[in-house]
Amino acid sequence: QNLLAEKVEQLMEWSSRRSVIRTNGDKFRRFVKAPPRNYSVIVMFTALQPQRQCSVCRQANEEYQVLANSWRYSSAFSNKLFFTIVDYDEGADVFQQLNMNSAPTFMHFPPKGKPKRADTFDLQRIGFAAEQLAKWIADRTDVHIRVFRPPNYSGTIALALLVSLVGGLLYLRRNNLEFIYNKTGWAMAALCVVFAMTSGQMWNHIRGPPYAHKNPQNGQV
């Protein structure tokens, strides 16, 4: 009991400083693998060092940070769930121990017993959005996390710049607005919109498909 209380206290202290706890091989074996435990641990195995050139790892890490921050600052926050990360360059022995040869990978380590197949998040089929990770965590731990994303004003700023540009152009040419009635110009603009819509860009934006998925027939990625 004293050992368990010490482990929980240490994890809570680390969580108070940073939503995602960075672990190496020793910390992983002590706080994630070794009993006793009465808490669940979500581990992201990744390779974030620039020399690894893993752009997917960086994107997944951003979503993981959003999810961990949502849990840390929620009213339901408790010592029943912790978010950790193992980078390959800091814990290569952990990757070897788990026979893991790809990144990023998300795993849930339950309070008792070993992780089952469902405790590995199907990133290739579902994607790594924070909302999808939260749903998977709820299925595995019964801990429900409401995802809060920081406000993104880039779209508003881009729209304001576009409106300002168009307004400035119209003002500068206020004495000669015949170009507005140019049918060829409007036709070219319409074609650009049509090509953008039929290219699949809008479908990707709305549906948010995963980066990759497996062929159900042969399992090939």
Side-chain angles (χ1 to χ4, degrees):
Q1 292 297 326
N2 291 336
L3 177 59
L4 177 60
E6 181 183 342
K7 291 170 68 174
V8 172
E9 182 181 359
Q10 181 65 78
L11 287 169
M12 288 296 290
E13 180 183 348
W14 286 334
S15 295
S16 65
R17 301 176 189 171
R18 185 177 295 179
S19 301
V20 177
I21 304 170
R22 297 190 70 91
T23 58
N24 53 24
D26 293 336
K27 289 182 179 178
F28 176 82
R29 284 183 284 273
R30 180 183 178 189
F31 293 96
V32 180
K33 292 280 290 182
R37 293 196 316 273
N38 62 355
Y39 51 84
S40 291
V41 183
I42 306 298
V43 184
M44 176 183 178
F45 299 93
T46 187
L48 294 174
Q49 296 302 317
Q51 65 268 22
R52 301 299 174 186
Q53 298 182 352
C54 182
S55 58
V56 180
C57 293
R58 292 192 293 271
Q59 297 171 16
N61 182 59
E62 291 176 0
E63 293 295 308
Y64 192 56
Q65 295 289 341
V66 168
L67 178 61
N69 284 326
S70 299
W71 168 241
R72 177 186 177 187
Y73 295 110
S74 71
S75 58
F77 176 74
S78 68
N79 58 9
K80 298 301 181 183
L81 177 66
F82 297 98
F83 289 86
T84 68
I85 187 171
V86 177
D87 192 285
Y88 179 80
D89 290 282
E90 299 174 2
D93 53 333
V94 178
F95 280 73
Q96 184 177 4
Q97 179 183 352
L98 298 176
N99 295 321
M100 192 173 299
N101 54 13
S102 63
T105 299
F106 298 94
M107 287 186 65
H108 164 242
F109 289 83
K112 295 181 180 179
K114 296 181 179 180
K116 300 178 181 178
R117 184 174 182 179
D119 287 311
T120 299
F121 182 68
D122 194 349
L123 181 147
Q124 295 176 340
R125 183 176 65 87
I126 304 176
F128 47 72
E131 289 79 6
Q132 297 296 337
L133 286 168
K135 183 178 179 181
W136 168 67
I137 290 173
D139 292 338
R140 305 311 303 163
T141 67
D142 289 329
V143 174
H144 297 271
I145 304 174
R146 183 180 177 184
V147 176
F148 293 95
R149 293 184 177 275
N152 185 354
Y153 300 106
S154 59
T156 304
I157 294 174
L159 180 61
L161 290 175
L162 178 62
V163 171
S164 300
L165 180 63
V166 173
L169 179 63
L170 293 176
Y171 178 76
L172 292 174
R173 301 196 59 177
R174 60 187 179 279
N175 296 326
N176 183 15
L177 298 177
E178 293 181 0
F179 69 93
I180 295 179
Y181 303 99
N182 189 319
K183 294 182 179 180
T184 303
W186 285 108
M188 293 297 294
L191 280 175
C192 290
V193 173
V194 170
F195 288 145
M197 296 300 136
T198 57
S199 69
Q201 187 276 339
M202 186 55 65
W203 187 90
N204 286 336
H205 181 74
I206 294 174
R207 294 295 186 89
Y211 179 78
H213 68 95
K214 289 184 178 180
N215 186 322
Q217 277 73 34
N218 54 28
Q220 183 179 2
V221 176

